[in-house]
Amino acid sequence: MAIQSTSTPLYEKISLKNDGKRAVEIFILFLLVSLLTYRLVHLEDHGLEWQVALACESWFTFVWILVISTKWSPVSYKTYPHRILQRVSELPPVDVFVTTADPQLEPPIIIVNTVLSLMAVDYPAHKLACYVSDDGCSLLTFYSLMEAAKFAKLWVPFCKKYNIQLRAPFRYFAGDSTILSGEDCSLEFQQARDTMKDEYDKLSGKIEDASQGSVPSNFTGEFAAFSNTERKNHPTIIKIILENKGGHADELPHLIYISREKRPKHPHHYKAGAMNVLTRISGLMTNAPLMLNVDCDMYANNPQIVLHALCLLLGTKYERYCAFVQCPQYFYDGAKDDPFGNQLVVLQEYLVRGIVGIQGPVYGGTGCFHRRKVIYGSWPEDMKTEKKILTSNGELTKEKSLNGFGSSKQFIDSAAHALQGNPDHPKDLSSSLEVACQVASCTYEYNTDWGKKVGWMYGSTAEDILTGVAIHTKGWRSLYCSPNPPAFLGCAPSGGPASMTQQKRWATGLLEVLLSKRSPIYGTLFMHLHFRQCLAYLWVLIWALRSIPEFLYALLPAYCIMTNSHFLPKGQEPAIIISAAIFIIYNLYCLYEYFAIGLSIHAWWNNQRIQRITSTCAWSFGVLSVVLKLLGLSETVFEVTKKDQSTSSDSTNAELGRFTFDESPIFVPGTALLLVHLIATFTMLLGLRPQASRSSGSGMGEVICTMWVVLCFWPFFRGLFGKGKYGIPSTTIMKGAIVATIIAYLFRFTPTDWFEVRIDNRRYLYEIRHPYQWLEITLLFTKSTCFSRLRTIRWTCLDDPAKKTGHRSARSSSKQKESNIWHPIYVAPFQAMFAYLWILTWALGSIPEFLYALLPAYCVMTNSNFLPKGQEPQLS
């Protein structure tokens, strides 16, 4: 590959700055800071609801700062693929990786269409090699690829002869041939198209029949390797389905099927492990300097995508400016107005382009072109010093080979060539099969740097983000390729369960990255990650953590209505303008973003409500998964998202956009939150709220917020009365009702107690209306013990309301309480210790009391006794 010097650029960088948007973003930040200042000034005049609002709004302000930093300098790249041959005398080879894991969730017909579209791109066939990783070890998947290879011998020449733009057959034959073809509709073309359609229908029929159980089961010939195999217990299977032995540009690319070895007691690291196996096997067989990885459902929608990516990879002045090229994820056959909020159009248009303008886009896991040397752990500085780790004959040093790449000498030699920038000469693929099986074994990575310093990184279900962080922290940059038409198109999850499962996996993996040793915070402080790139990564990685303040903030309106308190400034207070302005301006700002890219107000509303649902349901379970992992109680699992080839035409448009449910517990938090707000509404309408003290009762602001939450969770409200998949299962409703009842009890139906504490001659009187206030009493004791010397402590529960005459509540005497608590007073240490134990063991006391209450029933059913018998003296 020789690059000729010319003044004609291969790409153009375009700034997308918008000063008007910047001004609005800064103004919203100013309003948020003003609201926080107001809350801090009036903090002592309010209770828990004000403190929770302050904490949540502080978090929202922090997130908004991350958003402003991320969006501040958006850029776009325009590529000129027709100039490639003017700059490059020989195009570099490209290895293409397609990954799949479950033939039930990822139907083989989808994989076949993706592979066919990739094999038909506008690129010399002898420069392409397509590797399909099947982590399900499915005979059905292998059979489908064998049949697809036969069809490819007809399909690929047809696409290139008639300049077909849509090269995924299922998409092409679903469209209008006069639009999809670059040629006139001649008779010859019509006949060729009809022939291709008939052949594709036969291919689809064979795969459909095979999926129904008619796969060849005699396990002979090519299928013999699949005998006695299980999904998670089988040897390595590598099959060369197609091989371009002559190295001809007008033939078909290589097509290799791979199912890596899996054993029950050996970790396989999910998709990251599969990608590392693909990297090693391809390094032995073709060792292309560039690698493209796509998910099995992301077909090549732009036939010139490889040339577009090369414009960025080869057009930069220095290689360190482009470690990888990421293409945006767009989807086909999405329901109108994005009812499930998973088409990510606005996110791609604004936030992702903003990240592009910093250190480059994050690695998205699919549609990404990598430099092999970067995946092998190369640093930008290695462009000048990489030969220091090589011996005179081009092999890696012994220390590097043993600690980094494993024990295979052949693979180490290929890695040395890749790091040195010298591509290997074409070789017979069959000659590498034995060594390829060795590097695909489940024990090959032991005592190596794979997953730690080399290859795709281990330690998170979001292996893409983790690997991208590792690359960026070394100082590499990345570029963004968004041609027209889009490079790749995939299928977005349809329905509630699939969308929530995907979001939960993302949230879990992102939080794992944030808490790992490769956190972007560490990369900024001690390595080469740019500060604003760190902030951009933080905006992505805190998705799961956002569920906590957002859930609490969503509960606040219901809490205030049931306790007749308020968390928003009252209507007569000037500060109410701040809250109203934030709400109105922010929503108008978001609405403008949707209108600017041609989306409707309905799409904006769908994304707003799904964001609330996702945060409450999926992201909260992501937090729970990581907490259980940190506690050592369970491990996170890579959950494959179900993929559908196209939207069913049997359903009406209304049904296509309707939210669906299943019995997963992931819907319990959303159901509980909705029920809590409905309880609050009925409490207000029936006049069951307590009387507000002075003018601190809830107002119209809290009522509006409750209605807003109910509207956001309207799919759940409909689900309460829906049937089938559109209805919330009764078990989920019951669980949600139990949680909602507990929350409502803690909010509203806790009896009022008065708790009097005497420290020396000082008396502190607390009105206990909510369980959280016992923590305040415990804090009083803790402060007194840690910072003072106590002498006497007495406590009294005042059940008679008449006894509180003449006493002031803790809230009205907070200043006096705080001033008294720090006075040096004295107490006997044992007396203080018993005071702590009595309070702190209240919850633990429920266990023996519950067991003791069970004893009579146990003794009756087992004909035993736990009390002394009647004739025993101890009975008295």
Side-chain angles (χ1 to χ4, degrees), residues 1-2 84-85 88-97 118-119 121-131 160 243-256 282 285-292 306-307 310 369 372 423-426 429:
M1 177 182 63
I84 279 287
L85 295 180
V88 181
S89 59
E90 183 179 0
L91 296 173
V94 178
D95 289 339
V96 182
F97 301 155
L118 292 168
M119 296 177 68
V121 295
D122 291 334
Y123 206 72
H126 66 294
K127 298 286 186 179
L128 281 177
C130 184
Y131 297 82
K160 295 186 176 181
E243 183 177 3
N244 190 337
K245 294 184 177 180
H248 300 296
D250 55 350
E251 293 186 0
L252 296 180
H254 302 312
L255 178 59
I256 300 98
S282 65
M285 290 187 168
T286 49
N287 205 28
L290 303 177
M291 302 181 295
L292 163 66
V306 180
L307 298 177
L310 287 181
F369 292 82
R372 184 179 290 269
D424 294 343
H425 296 291
L429 299 184

Side-chain angles (χ1 to χ4, degrees), residues 687-840:
L688 300 178
R689 296 185 296 171
Q691 185 175 359
S693 58
R694 295 170 295 182
S695 60
S696 61
S698 57
M700 186 57 65
E702 285 72 26
V703 175
I704 293 174
C705 290
T706 290
M707 294 299 101
W708 182 263
V709 173
V710 172
L711 286 175
C712 288
F713 283 82
W714 191 254
F716 281 72
F717 185 82
R718 295 182 65 186
L720 293 175
F721 311 99
K723 302 294 182 181
K725 65 180 181 179
Y726 301 114
I728 303 176
S730 57
T731 54
T732 303
I733 295 177
M734 290 179 61
K735 294 174 184 177
I738 292 172
V739 175
T741 302
I742 294 173
I743 294 174
Y745 178 83
L746 295 176
F747 282 179
R748 174 67 182 86
F749 300 108
T750 301
T752 299
D753 291 325
W754 287 82
F755 193 85
E756 179 182 343
V757 181
R758 293 180 181 272
I759 302 179
D760 248 359
N761 294 323
R762 297 180 177 85
R763 179 174 63 183
Y764 306 96
L765 188 63
Y766 286 83
E767 182 184 10
I768 305 301
R769 297 182 60 191
H770 307 286
Y772 74 85
Q773 287 178 293
W774 292 113
L775 299 177
E776 192 174 354
I777 297 174
T778 304
L779 181 61
L780 168 67
F781 288 145
T782 305
K783 285 183 177 180
S784 301
T785 300
C786 296
F787 300 100
S788 305
R789 290 176 295 172
L790 300 178
R791 184 165 55 191
T792 58
I793 293 182
R794 297 177 184 175
W795 57 88
T796 306
C797 285
L798 305 179
D799 298 326
D800 185 2
K803 293 183 180 180
K804 62 185 181 183
T805 304
H807 299 313
R808 289 180 296 175
S809 66
R811 180 180 297 180
S812 61
S813 60
S814 58
K815 294 183 178 180
Q816 180 182 359
K817 176 186 65 178
E818 289 296 326
S819 63
N820 289 341
I821 197 172
W822 298 103
H823 288 183
I825 43 186
Y826 306 88
V827 74
F830 286 104
Q831 193 174 3
M833 179 187 70
F834 288 128
Y836 295 142
L837 292 178
W838 178 72
I839 294 176
L840 298 178

